[in-house]
Amino acid sequence: MELYLDSVNLKEIASAIDIGIIAGLTTTPTFMHREGIEDVDSTIVELSKQVPILQIEALGRTSDEIIDEAYRQEALGLDRETTVYKIPMSMEGVKACKHLTNVGFKINLHLVYTLQQAYMAMEAGATYVCPLVGRLQDQGGDAIGLVQSMVGLTKEYGYKTKVMFSSVRTSQHVREALKSGAHTITVPWKILEKLTDHHLTEAHTEQFFKHN
């Protein structure tokens, strides 16, 4: 399962890159502004050189606006092979996804909450489909069952789309992603830095050093 960091904080991003195991970064220009980053475009281009895959939004209301934004960001210096453009699920998003994937862009159709939405994304050739597990669970939805069904679609019909487990709130979510067969997970730094923790590991490590 591919491990992505979900962050706009440059210190967190640097720390995650330093570990050496993340497959990529998912980030958001809107939140970068809130973080105090003034030159967002330059920051995005610089980050794209530091991570294997950068997932960044191509925002717009219409398919034409979404397509134009993807081309605009490419013109800044982003590479189609190492950049995935995130597009919110909608009919316009599906239309933009189909156009962009036909010409070689990689697309993540996200904000997906139903199996039929995932089906539309896969039919449109999305590289990733992104269910928001935590948010769906907040509404009482069976998010884990949804992820399992999405993975099942890829196996049953041969779709090459990867299911990205997102809106991760706890370490338990990472365990559930692994059990569900999700292809990819994107986690915040506060979760990532705890994935090696367990009280027994800590206790036994202390015992080891005491006896040596």
Side-chain angles (χ1 to χ4, degrees):
M1 183 175 70
E2 296 174 344
L3 176 62
Y4 276 71
L5 175 71
D6 183 19
S7 180
V8 297
N9 184 288
L10 298 182
K11 290 183 179 179
E12 291 179 352
I13 294 168
S15 295
I17 292 171
D18 188 56
I19 295 171
I21 65 170
I22 65 168
L25 170 69
T26 57
T27 194
T28 306
T30 303
F31 293 162
M32 283 185 174
H33 281 294
R34 296 178 189 174
E35 187 73 11
I37 297 172
E38 296 181 0
D39 191 346
V40 171
D41 284 344
S42 295
T43 301
I44 289 171
V45 172
E46 184 59 32
L47 287 174
S48 73
K49 299 173 183 177
Q50 298 177 34
V51 296
I53 299 290
L54 175 67
Q55 297 211 16
I56 193 76
E57 288 161 326
L59 293 175
R61 293 285 186 182
T62 68
S63 59
D64 286 341
E65 289 172 351
I66 295 167
I67 291 165
D68 287 346
E69 177 62 10
Y71 278 111
R72 185 192 75 81
Q73 293 193 39
E74 184 182 44
L76 296 174
L78 299 182
D79 191 312
R80 292 189 192 185
E81 289 300 313
T82 58
T83 307
V84 179
Y85 294 94
K86 298 192 295 180
I87 300 174
M89 169 55 66
S90 69
M91 196 60 76
E92 289 296 304
V94 168
K95 183 178 177 182
C97 175
K98 184 61 177 176
H99 172 89
L100 289 167
T101 55
N102 280 347
V103 295
F105 284 84
K106 295 179 180 179
I107 301 298
N108 179 348
L109 271 169
H110 70 128
L111 301 180
V112 173
Y113 295 100
T114 69
L115 190 60
Q116 54 268 37
Q117 287 180 323
Y119 164 68
M120 291 293 283
M122 292 176 188
E123 277 292 301
T127 316
Y128 294 87
V129 61
C130 196
L132 277 71
V133 172
R135 292 191 192 182
L136 186 55
Q137 287 178 335
D138 289 344
Q139 303 300 316
D142 180 11
I144 305 304
L146 175 62
V147 172
Q148 292 171 336
S149 295
M150 289 180 181
V151 173
L153 277 184
T154 66
K155 294 177 179 178
E156 181 70 21
Y157 297 103
Y159 291 118
K160 297 186 182 303
T161 303
K162 294 179 179 180
V163 178
M164 173 176 272
F165 193 110
S166 68
S167 188
V168 169
R169 307 278 178 77
T170 65
S171 295
Q172 179 66 18
H173 271 156
V174 178
R175 183 174 184 273
E176 290 171 339
L178 288 162
K179 291 178 66 178
S180 71
H183 307 106
T184 309
I185 188 169
T186 180
V187 302
W189 174 249
K190 66 180 181 180
I191 302 300
L192 178 59
E193 66 178 344
K194 293 180 179 179
L195 292 182
T196 57
D197 292 350
H198 192 278
H199 68 281
L200 289 178
T201 303
E202 294 170 7
H204 293 163
T205 299
E206 285 303 312
Q207 290 177 0
F208 175 82
F209 282 113
K210 285 179 180 178
H211 290 295
N212 288 275

